[in-house]
Amino acid sequence: MKKLVVPAAVERLEEVNAFVDGELRARGCSARVQMQLGLVVEEIFVNIAHYAYAPGVGEAEISMDVSGDPPAVKIRFLDHGRPFDPLEKEDADTALPAEERKIGGLGILLVKKNVDDVRYSYQNGANILTIQKKL
């Protein structure tokens, strides 16, 4: 499993994206899957950067592994910020006009729609969000 630890700051998003893209390219991942996972990784990391440690800054750990038959990529995001399970939030109702929708929920809906599995746990003082997508 490959791992990257960076300050949970939006300014580090480019480094996170380069880490994930590099691993996906090394595995011969399709451009479509790279784009989908790029959106998902950005959404999750930016949320950690904005909310996990606010107003301070902590660290985010991103781990990646590709395994299985058929192969699937598993990406784990870990932070020691305040506990938050994004899966508890109700999905945004995209059938409603934008002005009638509740604020929030679109980001995690984007994550759910672009991966095969998403799980959250809180262990030993850490938020752990794991996504998985078949390659």
Side-chain angles (χ1 to χ4, degrees):
M1 182 174 280
K2 302 278 184 154
K3 181 168 56 170
L4 174 70
V5 178
V6 294
V10 175
E11 297 79 25
R12 301 307 285 267
L13 177 60
E14 190 172 320
E15 186 177 349
V16 172
N17 283 336
F19 168 71
V20 172
D21 287 343
E23 290 299 313
L24 293 174
R25 273 195 307 277
R27 304 290 183 159
C29 187
S30 73
R32 179 174 186 247
V33 169
Q34 284 184 342
M35 185 180 73
Q36 289 171 324
L37 288 173
L39 287 170
V40 167
V41 167
E42 180 174 342
E43 176 63 30
I44 294 169
F45 183 76
V46 167
N47 278 327
I48 292 169
H50 281 166
Y51 305 113
Y53 300 100
V57 176
E59 287 186 334
E61 176 184 300
I62 299 92
S63 304
M64 278 185 78
D65 188 37
V66 177
S67 62
D69 186 21
V73 62
K74 185 182 285 188
I75 306 174
R76 183 184 80 167
F77 298 83
L78 183 146
D79 70 76
H80 292 280
R82 58 178 97 16
F84 177 70
D85 181 354
L87 302 178
E88 283 184 348
K89 192 158 181 66
E90 190 174 312
D91 286 346
D93 185 351
T94 57
L96 290 174
E99 60 275 358
E100 293 179 29
R101 291 183 203 156
K102 294 178 184 175
I103 293 175
L106 281 175
I108 195 63
L109 181 61
L110 176 138
V111 170
K112 290 176 182 177
K113 296 259 185 212
N114 283 286
V115 300
D116 298 311
D117 188 46
V118 58
R119 296 172 190 253
Y120 170 83
S121 65
Y122 187 78
Q123 300 172 15
N124 301 319
N127 292 294
I128 302 169
L129 187 69
T130 305
I131 59 170
Q132 187 167 324
K133 183 159 183 73
K134 294 176 191 148
L135 302 180

